[in-house]
Short mmCIF file of all heavy atoms in Angstrom, two decimals:
data_model
loop_
_atom_site.label_atom_id
_atom_site.label_comp_id
_atom_site.label_asym_id
_atom_site.label_seq_id
_atom_site.Cartn_x
_atom_site.Cartn_y
_atom_site.Cartn_z
N MET A 1214 18.44 -28.89 -25.69
CA MET A 1214 18.75 -27.51 -25.48
C MET A 1214 17.58 -26.64 -25.91
O MET A 1214 17.25 -25.66 -25.24
CB MET A 1214 20.06 -27.17 -26.24
CG MET A 1214 20.49 -25.76 -26.03
SD MET A 1214 21.04 -25.59 -24.35
CE MET A 1214 21.60 -23.95 -24.35
N ARG A 1215 16.99 -26.98 -27.03
CA ARG A 1215 15.86 -26.18 -27.54
C ARG A 1215 14.69 -26.26 -26.66
O ARG A 1215 14.01 -25.27 -26.40
CB ARG A 1215 15.53 -26.71 -28.96
CG ARG A 1215 14.54 -25.92 -29.68
CD ARG A 1215 14.33 -26.47 -31.06
NE ARG A 1215 13.61 -25.52 -31.86
CZ ARG A 1215 13.25 -25.70 -33.13
NH1 ARG A 1215 13.57 -26.85 -33.67
NH2 ARG A 1215 12.65 -24.79 -33.78
N HIS A 1216 14.46 -27.44 -26.06
CA HIS A 1216 13.42 -27.65 -25.11
C HIS A 1216 13.59 -26.76 -23.84
O HIS A 1216 12.64 -26.21 -23.32
CB HIS A 1216 13.30 -29.11 -24.73
CG HIS A 1216 12.17 -29.46 -23.78
ND1 HIS A 1216 10.89 -29.10 -24.04
CD2 HIS A 1216 12.18 -30.11 -22.58
CE1 HIS A 1216 10.16 -29.53 -23.02
NE2 HIS A 1216 10.92 -30.15 -22.14
N LEU A 1217 14.80 -26.68 -23.38
CA LEU A 1217 15.11 -25.89 -22.25
C LEU A 1217 14.86 -24.42 -22.50
O LEU A 1217 14.27 -23.72 -21.65
CB LEU A 1217 16.60 -26.08 -21.82
CG LEU A 1217 17.09 -25.32 -20.61
CD1 LEU A 1217 16.25 -25.73 -19.38
CD2 LEU A 1217 18.55 -25.54 -20.42
N ALA A 1218 15.25 -23.92 -23.69
CA ALA A 1218 15.01 -22.55 -24.02
C ALA A 1218 13.54 -22.21 -24.09
O ALA A 1218 13.06 -21.17 -23.65
CB ALA A 1218 15.72 -22.19 -25.33
N LEU A 1219 12.77 -23.13 -24.67
CA LEU A 1219 11.32 -22.92 -24.81
C LEU A 1219 10.68 -22.93 -23.45
O LEU A 1219 9.79 -22.10 -23.12
CB LEU A 1219 10.69 -24.01 -25.66
CG LEU A 1219 9.21 -23.92 -25.94
CD1 LEU A 1219 8.92 -22.58 -26.64
CD2 LEU A 1219 8.73 -25.09 -26.78
N SER A 1220 11.09 -23.77 -22.55
CA SER A 1220 10.59 -23.85 -21.19
C SER A 1220 10.89 -22.53 -20.43
O SER A 1220 10.05 -22.04 -19.68
CB SER A 1220 11.16 -25.01 -20.40
OG SER A 1220 10.80 -26.25 -21.03
N ALA A 1221 12.12 -22.04 -20.64
CA ALA A 1221 12.47 -20.80 -19.95
C ALA A 1221 11.62 -19.64 -20.43
O ALA A 1221 11.19 -18.79 -19.62
CB ALA A 1221 13.99 -20.45 -20.24
N LEU A 1222 11.35 -19.56 -21.73
CA LEU A 1222 10.49 -18.50 -22.27
C LEU A 1222 9.11 -18.60 -21.74
O LEU A 1222 8.45 -17.61 -21.36
CB LEU A 1222 10.51 -18.48 -23.76
CG LEU A 1222 11.76 -18.00 -24.46
CD1 LEU A 1222 11.69 -18.19 -25.96
CD2 LEU A 1222 11.97 -16.57 -24.10
N LEU A 1223 8.59 -19.81 -21.62
CA LEU A 1223 7.24 -20.03 -21.11
C LEU A 1223 7.16 -19.64 -19.64
O LEU A 1223 6.18 -18.97 -19.20
CB LEU A 1223 6.85 -21.48 -21.28
CG LEU A 1223 5.45 -21.88 -20.75
CD1 LEU A 1223 4.40 -21.09 -21.58
CD2 LEU A 1223 5.21 -23.38 -20.96
N LEU A 1224 8.21 -19.95 -18.90
CA LEU A 1224 8.23 -19.60 -17.47
C LEU A 1224 8.28 -18.09 -17.29
O LEU A 1224 7.58 -17.52 -16.44
CB LEU A 1224 9.44 -20.25 -16.82
CG LEU A 1224 9.63 -19.95 -15.29
CD1 LEU A 1224 8.46 -20.51 -14.51
CD2 LEU A 1224 10.92 -20.54 -14.84
N ILE A 1225 9.06 -17.42 -18.11
CA ILE A 1225 9.13 -15.97 -18.02
C ILE A 1225 7.78 -15.33 -18.32
O ILE A 1225 7.33 -14.42 -17.65
CB ILE A 1225 10.22 -15.42 -18.96
CG1 ILE A 1225 11.63 -15.83 -18.45
CG2 ILE A 1225 10.11 -13.89 -19.11
CD1 ILE A 1225 12.75 -15.50 -19.39
N GLY A 1226 7.09 -15.84 -19.35
CA GLY A 1226 5.77 -15.37 -19.69
C GLY A 1226 4.77 -15.53 -18.54
O GLY A 1226 4.02 -14.64 -18.22
N VAL A 1227 4.76 -16.71 -17.94
CA VAL A 1227 3.85 -16.94 -16.81
C VAL A 1227 4.18 -16.06 -15.66
O VAL A 1227 3.27 -15.49 -15.04
CB VAL A 1227 3.91 -18.46 -16.46
CG1 VAL A 1227 3.18 -18.67 -15.10
CG2 VAL A 1227 3.35 -19.34 -17.56
N LEU A 1228 5.41 -15.89 -15.29
CA LEU A 1228 5.80 -15.06 -14.18
C LEU A 1228 5.48 -13.60 -14.41
O LEU A 1228 5.05 -12.87 -13.53
CB LEU A 1228 7.32 -15.20 -13.85
CG LEU A 1228 7.73 -16.54 -13.26
CD1 LEU A 1228 9.20 -16.59 -13.09
CD2 LEU A 1228 6.99 -16.81 -11.97
N SER A 1229 5.64 -13.12 -15.66
CA SER A 1229 5.34 -11.70 -15.91
C SER A 1229 3.82 -11.45 -15.84
O SER A 1229 3.41 -10.37 -15.40
CB SER A 1229 5.91 -11.33 -17.25
OG SER A 1229 5.20 -12.00 -18.28
N CYS A 1230 3.04 -12.39 -16.25
CA CYS A 1230 1.58 -12.26 -16.13
C CYS A 1230 1.17 -12.20 -14.64
O CYS A 1230 0.34 -11.42 -14.21
CB CYS A 1230 0.86 -13.34 -16.81
SG CYS A 1230 0.94 -13.29 -18.57
N GLY A 1231 1.74 -13.09 -13.82
CA GLY A 1231 1.46 -13.08 -12.39
C GLY A 1231 1.85 -11.82 -11.70
O GLY A 1231 1.16 -11.34 -10.86
N ARG A 1232 2.95 -11.24 -12.13
CA ARG A 1232 3.42 -10.01 -11.50
C ARG A 1232 2.44 -8.87 -11.81
O ARG A 1232 2.15 -8.02 -10.97
CB ARG A 1232 4.80 -9.68 -11.96
CG ARG A 1232 5.37 -8.49 -11.21
CD ARG A 1232 6.74 -8.09 -11.70
NE ARG A 1232 7.56 -9.23 -12.14
CZ ARG A 1232 8.80 -9.17 -12.38
NH1 ARG A 1232 9.45 -8.03 -12.25
NH2 ARG A 1232 9.51 -10.22 -12.76
N ASN A 1233 1.96 -8.80 -13.03
CA ASN A 1233 1.03 -7.72 -13.39
C ASN A 1233 -0.26 -7.78 -12.57
O ASN A 1233 -0.76 -6.79 -12.13
CB ASN A 1233 0.73 -7.82 -14.85
CG ASN A 1233 1.88 -7.40 -15.68
OD1 ASN A 1233 2.81 -6.73 -15.28
ND2 ASN A 1233 1.92 -7.81 -16.98
N ASP A 1234 -0.74 -8.97 -12.31
CA ASP A 1234 -1.98 -9.12 -11.52
C ASP A 1234 -1.77 -8.68 -10.12
O ASP A 1234 -2.52 -7.95 -9.53
CB ASP A 1234 -2.45 -10.57 -11.53
CG ASP A 1234 -2.97 -10.97 -12.89
OD1 ASP A 1234 -3.30 -10.11 -13.73
OD2 ASP A 1234 -3.10 -12.21 -13.14
N SER A 1235 -0.64 -9.05 -9.51
CA SER A 1235 -0.42 -8.67 -8.12
C SER A 1235 -0.10 -7.17 -8.04
O SER A 1235 -0.52 -6.57 -7.04
CB SER A 1235 0.76 -9.51 -7.57
OG SER A 1235 2.01 -9.17 -8.22
N THR A 1236 0.53 -6.65 -9.02
CA THR A 1236 0.77 -5.23 -9.05
C THR A 1236 -0.54 -4.44 -9.12
O THR A 1236 -0.75 -3.46 -8.44
CB THR A 1236 1.73 -4.82 -10.17
OG1 THR A 1236 2.90 -5.57 -10.04
CG2 THR A 1236 2.01 -3.33 -10.16
N ALA A 1237 -1.44 -4.91 -9.98
CA ALA A 1237 -2.75 -4.26 -10.13
C ALA A 1237 -3.50 -4.27 -8.81
O ALA A 1237 -4.14 -3.34 -8.43
CB ALA A 1237 -3.56 -4.90 -11.24
N ARG A 1238 -3.50 -5.45 -8.16
CA ARG A 1238 -4.22 -5.54 -6.87
C ARG A 1238 -3.58 -4.67 -5.86
O ARG A 1238 -4.28 -3.99 -5.06
CB ARG A 1238 -4.20 -6.98 -6.37
CG ARG A 1238 -5.36 -7.78 -6.85
CD ARG A 1238 -5.39 -9.14 -6.22
NE ARG A 1238 -4.71 -10.04 -7.18
CZ ARG A 1238 -3.65 -10.79 -6.83
NH1 ARG A 1238 -3.21 -10.88 -5.64
NH2 ARG A 1238 -3.07 -11.53 -7.76
N ARG A 1239 -2.27 -4.62 -5.78
CA ARG A 1239 -1.55 -3.78 -4.80
C ARG A 1239 -1.82 -2.32 -5.08
O ARG A 1239 -1.98 -1.54 -4.13
CB ARG A 1239 -0.04 -4.11 -4.85
CG ARG A 1239 0.69 -3.42 -3.79
CD ARG A 1239 2.16 -3.71 -3.79
NE ARG A 1239 2.67 -3.50 -5.14
CZ ARG A 1239 3.62 -4.17 -5.74
NH1 ARG A 1239 4.19 -5.15 -5.09
NH2 ARG A 1239 4.04 -3.88 -6.94
N ASP A 1240 -1.86 -1.95 -6.32
CA ASP A 1240 -2.03 -0.54 -6.65
C ASP A 1240 -3.47 -0.05 -6.44
O ASP A 1240 -3.73 1.16 -6.42
CB ASP A 1240 -1.63 -0.32 -8.10
CG ASP A 1240 -0.14 -0.40 -8.27
OD1 ASP A 1240 0.57 -0.35 -7.27
OD2 ASP A 1240 0.32 -0.52 -9.44
N SER A 1241 -4.39 -1.01 -6.32
CA SER A 1241 -5.76 -0.58 -6.15
C SER A 1241 -6.05 -0.05 -4.76
O SER A 1241 -7.04 0.64 -4.50
CB SER A 1241 -6.74 -1.75 -6.51
OG SER A 1241 -6.58 -2.76 -5.57
N LEU A 1242 -5.17 -0.38 -3.83
CA LEU A 1242 -5.33 0.11 -2.45
C LEU A 1242 -4.40 1.31 -2.23
O LEU A 1242 -3.27 1.34 -2.69
CB LEU A 1242 -4.98 -1.00 -1.44
CG LEU A 1242 -5.87 -2.18 -1.39
CD1 LEU A 1242 -5.24 -3.20 -0.42
CD2 LEU A 1242 -7.30 -1.87 -1.03
N THR A 1243 -4.89 2.29 -1.43
CA THR A 1243 -4.05 3.45 -1.13
C THR A 1243 -3.09 3.01 0.01
O THR A 1243 -3.26 1.96 0.67
CB THR A 1243 -4.87 4.61 -0.67
OG1 THR A 1243 -5.55 4.24 0.58
CG2 THR A 1243 -5.90 5.04 -1.71
N GLN A 1244 -2.06 3.78 0.25
CA GLN A 1244 -1.11 3.53 1.30
C GLN A 1244 -1.84 3.51 2.65
O GLN A 1244 -1.60 2.69 3.52
CB GLN A 1244 -0.01 4.51 1.33
CG GLN A 1244 1.03 4.24 2.36
CD GLN A 1244 1.80 3.02 2.11
OE1 GLN A 1244 2.22 2.72 0.95
NE2 GLN A 1244 2.04 2.21 3.15
N ARG A 1245 -2.81 4.41 2.77
CA ARG A 1245 -3.58 4.49 4.04
C ARG A 1245 -4.34 3.21 4.28
O ARG A 1245 -4.43 2.67 5.40
CB ARG A 1245 -4.49 5.71 3.93
CG ARG A 1245 -5.57 5.83 5.02
CD ARG A 1245 -4.91 6.16 6.35
NE ARG A 1245 -5.95 6.13 7.36
CZ ARG A 1245 -5.81 6.75 8.51
NH1 ARG A 1245 -4.75 7.43 8.75
NH2 ARG A 1245 -6.78 6.66 9.42
N GLU A 1246 -4.98 2.70 3.18
CA GLU A 1246 -5.75 1.46 3.31
C GLU A 1246 -4.86 0.27 3.70
O GLU A 1246 -5.22 -0.58 4.53
CB GLU A 1246 -6.50 1.17 2.03
CG GLU A 1246 -7.67 2.14 1.72
CD GLU A 1246 -8.19 2.04 0.34
OE1 GLU A 1246 -7.48 1.63 -0.55
OE2 GLU A 1246 -9.38 2.34 0.19
N ARG A 1247 -3.67 0.20 3.09
CA ARG A 1247 -2.77 -0.90 3.40
C ARG A 1247 -2.27 -0.81 4.84
O ARG A 1247 -2.26 -1.81 5.59
CB ARG A 1247 -1.56 -0.88 2.44
CG ARG A 1247 -1.88 -1.34 1.04
CD ARG A 1247 -0.65 -1.52 0.22
NE ARG A 1247 0.03 -0.27 -0.01
CZ ARG A 1247 -0.06 0.41 -1.13
NH1 ARG A 1247 -0.78 -0.05 -2.14
NH2 ARG A 1247 0.60 1.55 -1.28
N ASP A 1248 -1.99 0.41 5.25
CA ASP A 1248 -1.52 0.61 6.67
C ASP A 1248 -2.67 0.27 7.64
O ASP A 1248 -2.38 -0.31 8.71
CB ASP A 1248 -1.07 2.04 6.88
CG ASP A 1248 0.23 2.37 6.16
OD1 ASP A 1248 0.91 1.40 5.76
OD2 ASP A 1248 0.55 3.54 6.04
N SER A 1249 -3.90 0.65 7.31
CA SER A 1249 -4.99 0.34 8.18
C SER A 1249 -5.21 -1.15 8.30
O SER A 1249 -5.47 -1.67 9.37
CB SER A 1249 -6.27 1.05 7.62
OG SER A 1249 -7.38 0.74 8.42
N MET A 1250 -5.10 -1.90 7.20
CA MET A 1250 -5.24 -3.32 7.25
C MET A 1250 -4.10 -3.95 8.10
O MET A 1250 -4.37 -4.86 8.85
CB MET A 1250 -5.23 -3.94 5.87
CG MET A 1250 -6.49 -3.62 5.04
SD MET A 1250 -6.49 -4.12 3.31
CE MET A 1250 -5.54 -5.58 3.26
N LEU A 1251 -2.92 -3.44 7.95
CA LEU A 1251 -1.80 -3.95 8.70
C LEU A 1251 -2.02 -3.67 10.21
O LEU A 1251 -1.76 -4.49 11.08
CB LEU A 1251 -0.51 -3.32 8.25
CG LEU A 1251 0.74 -3.72 8.97
CD1 LEU A 1251 0.98 -5.23 8.79
CD2 LEU A 1251 1.94 -2.98 8.49
N GLY A 1252 -2.48 -2.47 10.52
CA GLY A 1252 -2.73 -2.08 11.90
C GLY A 1252 -3.81 -2.92 12.54
O GLY A 1252 -3.81 -3.15 13.74
N ALA A 1253 -4.76 -3.37 11.77
CA ALA A 1253 -5.87 -4.22 12.29
C ALA A 1253 -5.46 -5.64 12.49
O ALA A 1253 -6.18 -6.38 13.15
CB ALA A 1253 -7.07 -4.12 11.36
N SER A 1254 -4.29 -6.04 11.96
CA SER A 1254 -3.90 -7.42 12.06
C SER A 1254 -3.26 -7.73 13.42
O SER A 1254 -3.04 -6.84 14.25
CB SER A 1254 -2.86 -7.72 10.94
OG SER A 1254 -1.62 -7.08 11.24
N GLN A 1255 -2.93 -8.94 13.62
CA GLN A 1255 -2.26 -9.41 14.85
C GLN A 1255 -0.77 -9.56 14.64
O GLN A 1255 -0.08 -10.18 15.46
CB GLN A 1255 -2.90 -10.73 15.30
CG GLN A 1255 -4.33 -10.61 15.70
CD GLN A 1255 -4.55 -9.68 16.85
OE1 GLN A 1255 -3.81 -9.71 17.82
NE2 GLN A 1255 -5.60 -8.85 16.75
N LEU A 1256 -0.24 -9.01 13.59
CA LEU A 1256 1.20 -9.16 13.28
C LEU A 1256 2.01 -8.30 14.29
O LEU A 1256 1.53 -7.26 14.80
CB LEU A 1256 1.49 -8.64 11.88
CG LEU A 1256 0.92 -9.47 10.73
CD1 LEU A 1256 1.09 -8.78 9.40
CD2 LEU A 1256 1.57 -10.82 10.70
N PRO A 1257 3.27 -8.70 14.52
CA PRO A 1257 4.11 -7.87 15.39
C PRO A 1257 4.32 -6.53 14.74
O PRO A 1257 4.52 -6.35 13.57
CB PRO A 1257 5.41 -8.64 15.38
CG PRO A 1257 5.10 -10.07 15.00
CD PRO A 1257 3.91 -9.93 14.10
N GLY A 1258 4.20 -5.47 15.56
CA GLY A 1258 4.35 -4.15 15.09
C GLY A 1258 3.03 -3.48 14.66
O GLY A 1258 3.01 -2.29 14.33
N ALA A 1259 1.95 -4.20 14.68
CA ALA A 1259 0.65 -3.67 14.24
C ALA A 1259 0.22 -2.54 15.17
O ALA A 1259 -0.35 -1.56 14.74
CB ALA A 1259 -0.38 -4.76 14.19
N GLN A 1260 0.55 -2.62 16.48
CA GLN A 1260 0.16 -1.59 17.41
C GLN A 1260 0.94 -0.28 17.06
O GLN A 1260 0.32 0.79 17.17
CB GLN A 1260 0.45 -2.05 18.81
CG GLN A 1260 -0.02 -1.07 19.87
CD GLN A 1260 0.23 -1.55 21.25
OE1 GLN A 1260 0.82 -2.69 21.44
NE2 GLN A 1260 -0.15 -0.79 22.26
N GLY A 1261 2.12 -0.40 16.66
CA GLY A 1261 2.87 0.80 16.27
C GLY A 1261 2.27 1.43 15.02
O GLY A 1261 2.26 2.68 14.94
N VAL A 1262 1.82 0.61 14.10
CA VAL A 1262 1.18 1.17 12.91
C VAL A 1262 -0.15 1.89 13.28
O VAL A 1262 -0.42 2.99 12.81
CB VAL A 1262 0.86 0.03 11.89
CG1 VAL A 1262 0.06 0.55 10.72
CG2 VAL A 1262 2.20 -0.58 11.37
N ARG A 1263 -0.89 1.28 14.19
CA ARG A 1263 -2.15 1.93 14.64
C ARG A 1263 -1.81 3.32 15.32
O ARG A 1263 -2.51 4.32 15.14
CB ARG A 1263 -2.85 1.05 15.65
CG ARG A 1263 -3.57 -0.08 15.02
CD ARG A 1263 -4.54 -0.75 15.96
NE ARG A 1263 -3.84 -1.35 17.14
CZ ARG A 1263 -3.43 -2.62 17.24
NH1 ARG A 1263 -3.56 -3.40 16.18
NH2 ARG A 1263 -2.86 -3.04 18.34
N GLY A 1264 -0.76 3.35 16.10
CA GLY A 1264 -0.36 4.55 16.76
C GLY A 1264 0.08 5.61 15.76
O GLY A 1264 -0.25 6.82 15.89
N ALA A 1265 0.82 5.20 14.73
CA ALA A 1265 1.22 6.16 13.74
C ALA A 1265 0.05 6.69 12.96
O ALA A 1265 0.03 7.90 12.61
CB ALA A 1265 2.21 5.48 12.78
N LEU A 1266 -0.94 5.84 12.63
CA LEU A 1266 -2.16 6.35 11.93
C LEU A 1266 -2.95 7.31 12.77
O LEU A 1266 -3.42 8.31 12.30
CB LEU A 1266 -3.01 5.13 11.55
CG LEU A 1266 -2.52 4.24 10.45
CD1 LEU A 1266 -3.38 2.97 10.27
CD2 LEU A 1266 -2.46 5.02 9.12
N LYS A 1267 -2.99 7.01 14.09
CA LYS A 1267 -3.70 7.94 15.01
C LYS A 1267 -2.98 9.29 15.08
O LYS A 1267 -3.66 10.32 15.04
CB LYS A 1267 -3.79 7.31 16.39
CG LYS A 1267 -4.58 8.11 17.42
CD LYS A 1267 -4.67 7.37 18.74
CE LYS A 1267 -5.43 8.22 19.72
NZ LYS A 1267 -5.55 7.54 21.02
N ALA A 1268 -1.68 9.26 15.13
CA ALA A 1268 -0.93 10.51 15.17
C ALA A 1268 -1.07 11.30 13.86
O ALA A 1268 -1.20 12.56 13.85
CB ALA A 1268 0.57 10.21 15.42
N SER A 1269 -1.09 10.58 12.75
CA SER A 1269 -1.28 11.22 11.43
C SER A 1269 -2.69 11.85 11.36
O SER A 1269 -2.77 12.98 10.88
CB SER A 1269 -1.11 10.15 10.34
OG SER A 1269 -1.41 10.71 9.10
N ASP A 1270 -3.66 11.14 11.81
CA ASP A 1270 -5.02 11.71 11.83
C ASP A 1270 -5.08 12.93 12.68
O ASP A 1270 -5.77 13.92 12.33
CB ASP A 1270 -6.05 10.65 12.30
CG ASP A 1270 -6.22 9.53 11.33
OD1 ASP A 1270 -5.83 9.68 10.13
OD2 ASP A 1270 -6.73 8.46 11.77
N SER A 1271 -4.49 12.90 13.84
CA SER A 1271 -4.47 14.02 14.78
C SER A 1271 -3.80 15.26 14.14
O SER A 1271 -4.31 16.36 14.22
CB SER A 1271 -3.80 13.62 16.08
OG SER A 1271 -3.74 14.74 16.94
N ALA A 1272 -2.69 15.04 13.49
CA ALA A 1272 -1.97 16.14 12.83
C ALA A 1272 -2.79 16.74 11.70
O ALA A 1272 -2.80 17.92 11.50
CB ALA A 1272 -0.59 15.71 12.31
N ALA A 1273 -3.45 15.86 10.94
CA ALA A 1273 -4.25 16.37 9.82
C ALA A 1273 -5.48 17.17 10.34
O ALA A 1273 -5.79 18.26 9.74
CB ALA A 1273 -4.80 15.18 9.03
N ALA A 1274 -6.09 16.70 11.43
CA ALA A 1274 -7.19 17.44 12.02
C ALA A 1274 -6.69 18.81 12.50
O ALA A 1274 -7.39 19.88 12.33
CB ALA A 1274 -7.81 16.65 13.12
N ARG A 1275 -5.50 18.84 13.13
CA ARG A 1275 -5.00 20.11 13.64
C ARG A 1275 -4.67 21.09 12.46
O ARG A 1275 -4.99 22.24 12.58
CB ARG A 1275 -3.73 19.87 14.46
CG ARG A 1275 -3.19 21.17 15.12
CD ARG A 1275 -1.92 20.89 15.93
NE ARG A 1275 -0.80 20.57 15.05
CZ ARG A 1275 -0.03 19.48 15.21
NH1 ARG A 1275 -0.27 18.66 16.18
NH2 ARG A 1275 0.93 19.25 14.37
N ARG A 1276 -4.12 20.58 11.41
CA ARG A 1276 -3.87 21.43 10.22
C ARG A 1276 -5.13 21.99 9.65
O ARG A 1276 -5.19 23.17 9.25
CB ARG A 1276 -3.14 20.63 9.14
CG ARG A 1276 -1.66 20.50 9.37
CD ARG A 1276 -0.92 19.97 8.15
NE ARG A 1276 -1.47 18.71 7.67
CZ ARG A 1276 -1.07 17.50 8.11
NH1 ARG A 1276 -0.15 17.39 9.00
NH2 ARG A 1276 -1.60 16.38 7.59
N GLU A 1277 -6.19 21.17 9.59
CA GLU A 1277 -7.49 21.64 9.10
C GLU A 1277 -8.03 22.80 9.99
O GLU A 1277 -8.55 23.80 9.47
CB GLU A 1277 -8.47 20.49 9.02
CG GLU A 1277 -8.20 19.60 7.89
CD GLU A 1277 -9.21 18.41 7.86
OE1 GLU A 1277 -10.26 18.54 8.47
OE2 GLU A 1277 -8.92 17.43 7.19
N ARG A 1278 -7.90 22.65 11.34
CA ARG A 1278 -8.36 23.67 12.23
C ARG A 1278 -7.56 24.94 12.04
O ARG A 1278 -8.10 26.07 12.06
CB ARG A 1278 -8.29 23.18 13.67
CG ARG A 1278 -9.33 22.15 14.08
CD ARG A 1278 -9.40 21.91 15.58
NE ARG A 1278 -8.10 21.61 16.13
CZ ARG A 1278 -7.58 20.35 16.32
NH1 ARG A 1278 -8.29 19.33 15.90
NH2 ARG A 1278 -6.41 20.20 16.86
N GLU A 1279 -6.22 24.80 11.86
CA GLU A 1279 -5.38 25.98 11.70
C GLU A 1279 -5.70 26.65 10.41
O GLU A 1279 -5.76 27.88 10.32
CB GLU A 1279 -3.90 25.57 11.74
CG GLU A 1279 -3.44 25.19 13.08
CD GLU A 1279 -2.03 24.50 13.09
OE1 GLU A 1279 -1.54 24.21 11.96
OE2 GLU A 1279 -1.48 24.32 14.15
N ASP A 1280 -5.93 25.88 9.33
CA ASP A 1280 -6.31 26.47 8.02
C ASP A 1280 -7.59 27.18 8.10
O ASP A 1280 -7.79 28.30 7.51
CB ASP A 1280 -6.29 25.40 6.96
CG ASP A 1280 -4.96 24.86 6.57
OD1 ASP A 1280 -3.91 25.53 6.91
OD2 ASP A 1280 -4.90 23.79 5.93
N ALA A 1281 -8.59 26.61 8.78
CA ALA A 1281 -9.89 27.24 8.89
C ALA A 1281 -9.77 28.55 9.68
O ALA A 1281 -10.40 29.54 9.32
CB ALA A 1281 -10.85 26.29 9.60
N ALA A 1282 -8.94 28.54 10.77
CA ALA A 1282 -8.78 29.77 11.53
C ALA A 1282 -8.08 30.83 10.74
O ALA A 1282 -8.39 32.02 10.83
CB ALA A 1282 -8.01 29.42 12.83
N ALA A 1283 -7.11 30.46 9.90
CA ALA A 1283 -6.34 31.43 9.13
C ALA A 1283 -7.27 32.10 8.03
O ALA A 1283 -7.07 33.22 7.69
CB ALA A 1283 -5.16 30.76 8.44
N GLN A 1284 -8.19 31.25 7.50
CA GLN A 1284 -9.08 31.83 6.49
C GLN A 1284 -10.11 32.77 7.09
O GLN A 1284 -10.63 33.65 6.39
CB GLN A 1284 -9.82 30.69 5.78
CG GLN A 1284 -8.91 29.85 4.89
CD GLN A 1284 -9.64 28.70 4.22
OE1 GLN A 1284 -10.81 28.44 4.52
NE2 GLN A 1284 -8.94 27.99 3.36
N GLN A 1285 -10.44 32.67 8.33
CA GLN A 1285 -11.42 33.50 8.98
C GLN A 1285 -10.81 34.89 9.34
O GLN A 1285 -11.54 35.83 9.48
CB GLN A 1285 -11.94 32.89 10.26
CG GLN A 1285 -12.84 31.73 9.98
CD GLN A 1285 -13.38 31.08 11.27
OE1 GLN A 1285 -12.99 31.48 12.32
NE2 GLN A 1285 -14.18 30.06 11.14
N GLU A 1286 -9.48 34.99 9.35
CA GLU A 1286 -8.86 36.26 9.76
C GLU A 1286 -8.87 37.24 8.69
O GLU A 1286 -8.99 37.20 7.60
CB GLU A 1286 -7.44 35.98 10.24
CG GLU A 1286 -7.38 35.26 11.50
CD GLU A 1286 -5.98 34.97 11.95
OE1 GLU A 1286 -5.04 35.26 11.17
OE2 GLU A 1286 -5.82 34.43 13.05
#
C-alpha cells in the first residue's frame, strides 16, 4: 500500500511538470499565431480558419481607415 501511494505521488509530480511546460509553450504564441498555423495546415476546416483570418484583417483595415478619416475631420 505504501508503495502504491509513493508511486501515485511521483506520477502526480511528473504530470504537473509536464503540464507546466506545455502551458508555457502554448502561452508563448498569440491566438493569431495559433490560428495562422492552423490555417496553413491541411487539417479539415483549415480553409475556414484562413477565411476568418482574412475577414478579420479586412475589418481591422477598414476600422483603421475610418479612424484615420475621423481624426482628419
Side-chain angles (χ1 to χ4, degrees):
M1214 183 69 178
R1215 188 176 194 182
H1216 181 53
L1217 180 61
L1219 183 60
S1220 297
L1222 286 174
L1223 182 61
L1224 180 62
I1225 290 170
V1227 169
L1228 291 176
S1229 66
C1230 289
R1232 186 183 325 191
N1233 289 340
D1234 291 342
S1235 65
T1236 302
R1238 269 185 268 126
R1239 184 180 54 214
D1240 291 343
S1241 67
L1242 295 176
T1243 64
Q1244 183 66 44
R1245 170 70 185 201
E1246 290 169 332
R1247 286 190 294 261
D1248 289 345
S1249 180
M1250 288 173 35
L1251 180 61
S1254 73
Q1255 297 298 317
L1256 294 171
Q1260 184 176 3
V1262 173
R1263 284 192 301 268
L1266 288 172
K1267 184 177 178 181
S1269 174
D1270 290 343
S1271 176
R1275 186 179 68 233
R1276 279 192 306 272
E1277 287 179 18
R1278 287 191 307 268
E1279 290 170 350
D1280 288 344
Q1284 288 178 357
Q1285 289 179 357
E1286 291 178 354

